[in-house]
Amino acid sequence: MRVIYKITYPNGKIYIGMDMTDSIGYFGSVDADTLARDFTREQRMKFTITREILWESPTGTRGEIMRQENELIRKFRSNDPAVGYNRHPTFKTRASLRYSEPDQNRS
């Protein structure tokens, strides 16, 4: 079974990933340094994460699963550093989506 899962950390941030084998022991590829910065040493001593299956398919191709994963990352905004730990696809803020206004003096 191919799955796309959501990991929720104690701070409420999330990570969305895919697993082509549905391994119960797989918890994704979160950048360890980024994750560590969000928790004190005391908080690291004991915490609970939740792994939730968001989507599954017994026959989905790698391409289909990757497209679905990207769609869910965008839907949940887990690529927004304030929300989650996904770094791809790159999060685009409203400011980065601004475009320059056309020059009103042009004919």
Side-chain angles (χ1 to χ4, degrees):
M1 185 70 65
R2 288 115 162 99
V3 301
I4 298 173
Y5 56 86
K6 177 176 77 168
I7 304 291
T8 304
Y9 290 89
N11 60 0
K13 287 189 177 183
I14 61 174
Y15 176 82
I16 293 176
M18 68 175 183
D19 184 353
M20 299 294 281
T21 63
D22 193 19
S23 170
I24 195 166
Y26 184 66
F27 289 89
S29 303
V30 174
D31 179 73
D33 293 333
T34 302
L35 186 63
R37 281 192 296 271
D38 281 349
F39 295 94
T40 66
R41 183 70 191 142
E42 185 177 326
Q43 290 171 321
R44 294 173 173 200
M45 298 301 285
K46 181 177 181 180
F47 68 88
T48 303
I49 64 171
T50 302
R51 183 177 186 256
E52 174 187 358
I53 303 296
L54 300 175
W55 183 89
E56 62 182 10
S57 171
T59 60
T61 66
R62 185 168 185 80
E64 290 169 333
I65 294 165
M66 290 176 76
R67 279 189 295 280
Q68 185 68 31
E69 178 190 33
N70 283 334
E71 183 178 313
L72 289 168
I73 288 170
R74 287 184 180 102
K75 176 182 175 183
F76 285 92
R77 293 183 46 227
S78 62
N79 58 338
D80 177 346
V83 175
Y85 293 110
N86 288 92
R87 294 299 167 250
H88 299 286
T90 303
F91 180 70
K92 293 182 177 33
T93 63
R94 288 191 186 274
S96 69
L97 295 176
R98 289 186 194 147
Y99 59 94
S100 59
E101 294 295 324
D103 187 348
Q104 300 296 325
N105 296 326
R106 288 188 186 172
S107 303

